Amino acid sequence: MKTKGYFYLLKKEIKEQFKNAKSIILFIVFAIFALASPIAAKYLPQILSNLSETQNMQIVLAEPTWEDAVNQYVKNLSQMVSFILILVYMGLISKEKETGTLVFILVKPIRKSDFILAKSTSVVFTLSLGIILSFLLSSLYIKILFGNFDIWNYLLINALMFLYLLTLAFITLCFSSIFRSQIAAGVMSFVVLLIMNILSGIGKIGEILPSALLGEVNTIIVGGNISLLPIFSSIAFLLLFLVISLAVFRRWEA
C-alpha cells in the first residue's frame, strides 16, 4: 500500500516526539505560561502598587479582569512560545541531514512525500496536545483567580492561537527541509516571523498575514465580530509552505 510508509513514519515520529527532550520542553513551556499568565495579570498590579509606595510614588491601576489574563496569555504564546517553537522545530529535518540518518530512512517503500507528511502530521499532533494542555490549565487558573469568564470565546481564542503557532511551525519545517544546517533553518524562520510582524501593520497586506490572527484575538476579547480572512489566509500560508517543503524535498539528494 502506498500509505504504508506514511503510517510507519508517523508512528516513528510520534514516538520520537515524546522521547525528544525538546518536545517535552515545549509542553513544559505551554504549561508554565498557561499558569503564569493569569497569575501575573492578577498580582502584578498589586506588586507594582507596593513598589511605588516604597519609592514615595502613587500608581493607580484598574482592578485586573479575566481579559487582562487572556491578553497576557496571548502575548506569551505569540512571543515566547513562538521563539521556542522555532528552536524546537528548526532541526526537525535538517538535523537528520546533518547526521546522515536521513539516507537510511529514505529507502523503499518510503517515499520522500511520506517523510514530509509524517513530520507535518506529528507537528500538528504535538501542538494540538500543547494547546489543549495550555487551554485547560489557563482556564482553571482564570476561573480560580477571576471567577466566571466567557469560556467559549476563550476556546475560540485558543483555536486561533493554535492556527498561528501551527503556521509558524510549518514555516520552520519548510526551511528545515530546505537547508542542511539547523542554524540556517532557524535564522530564516526568525526572519520570516520578523517580516510578518513588521508587515502586520501595513493595510491590506497585514490583514492576510498569519500575524493578523493576533488582531482577531483582541477583537474577541473586546467582544467584537472577527473577520474570517486571516483564518483562511493563514490556512493558505500553512498549505503553501507544506507544498514548498514537498516540492523541494523531492529534489533533495544525499
Side-chain angles (χ1 to χ4, degrees):
M1 294 176 62
K2 291 184 177 180
T3 58
K4 184 176 180 180
Y6 164 76
F7 286 111
Y8 167 78
L9 287 172
L10 179 58
K11 182 179 178 180
K12 169 182 170 295
E13 287 299 324
I14 291 177
K15 283 184 178 180
E16 288 184 356
Q17 290 282 339
F18 287 98
K19 292 180 180 179
N20 192 325
K22 289 183 178 180
S23 296
I24 301 301
I25 290 172
L26 186 61
F27 287 134
I28 293 173
V29 168
F30 268 113
I32 288 174
F33 287 120
L35 299 175
S37 298
I39 293 173
K42 179 68 175 180
Y43 296 111
L44 186 58
Q46 182 179 337
I47 293 172
L48 292 176
S49 178
N50 292 337
L51 287 175
S52 66
E53 291 179 2
T54 62
Q55 300 296 323
N56 295 321
M57 298 171 59
Q58 185 176 7
I59 299 177
V60 180
L61 298 172
E63 185 70 20
T65 64
W66 73 269
E67 288 92 344
D68 296 316
V70 175
N71 275 319
Q72 186 67 42
Y73 173 77
V74 170
K75 184 184 296 183
N76 286 331
L77 258 62
S78 62
Q79 296 177 3
M80 298 304 298
V81 175
S82 295
F83 178 82
I84 295 170
L85 190 70
I86 292 175
L87 295 179
V88 168
Y89 288 128
M90 68 184 189
L92 198 61
I93 298 174
S94 56
K95 182 179 180 180
E96 296 189 39
K97 290 180 180 179
E98 287 180 345
T99 59
T101 56
L102 191 54
V103 177
F104 300 100
I105 295 174
L106 296 178
V107 294
K108 294 182 179 181
I110 302 298
R111 298 177 301 179
K112 291 180 179 179
S113 58
D114 291 335
F115 180 79
I116 294 293
L117 292 174
K119 289 282 188 183
S120 303
T121 308
S122 70
V123 168
V124 174
F125 179 76
T126 304
L127 277 184
S128 297
L129 292 182
I131 203 71
I132 290 171
L133 173 66
S134 186
F135 168 73
L136 293 176
L137 289 176
S138 59
S139 296
L140 175 63
Y141 264 66
I142 291 174
K143 174 68 176 176
I144 292 173
L145 295 174
F146 297 95
N148 292 327
F149 70 104
D150 195 331
I151 188 68
W152 297 110
N153 274 348
Y154 190 53
L155 180 61
L156 179 57
I157 287 171
N158 277 268
L160 294 182
M161 291 308 301
F162 169 71
L163 180 56
Y164 174 79
L165 293 173
L166 185 63
T167 304
L168 180 59
F170 271 50
I171 292 172
T172 307
L173 176 68
C174 178
F175 286 118
S176 188
S177 68
I178 293 173
F179 296 104
R180 183 180 293 271
S181 167
Q182 298 180 63
I183 301 300
V187 168
M188 289 304 301
S189 300
F190 280 118
V191 168
V192 171
L193 177 61
L194 178 62
I195 291 173
M196 285 196 305
N197 290 336
I198 292 173
L199 296 179
S200 62
I202 303 179
K204 297 296 182 180
I205 297 176
E207 293 177 7
I208 63 172
L209 294 174
S211 51
L213 290 170
L214 303 179
E216 298 308 312
V217 166
N218 292 327
T219 300
I220 295 172
I221 294 174
V222 299
N225 296 319
I226 67 171
S227 169
L228 296 178
L229 178 59
I231 297 175
F232 289 123
S233 63
S234 295
I235 294 173
F237 266 95
L238 185 153
L239 294 176
L240 172 63
F241 278 96
L242 177 59
V243 169
I244 293 174
S245 300
L246 289 167
V248 171
F249 197 68
R250 284 196 185 103
R251 294 179 174 83
W252 179 78
E253 297 292 340

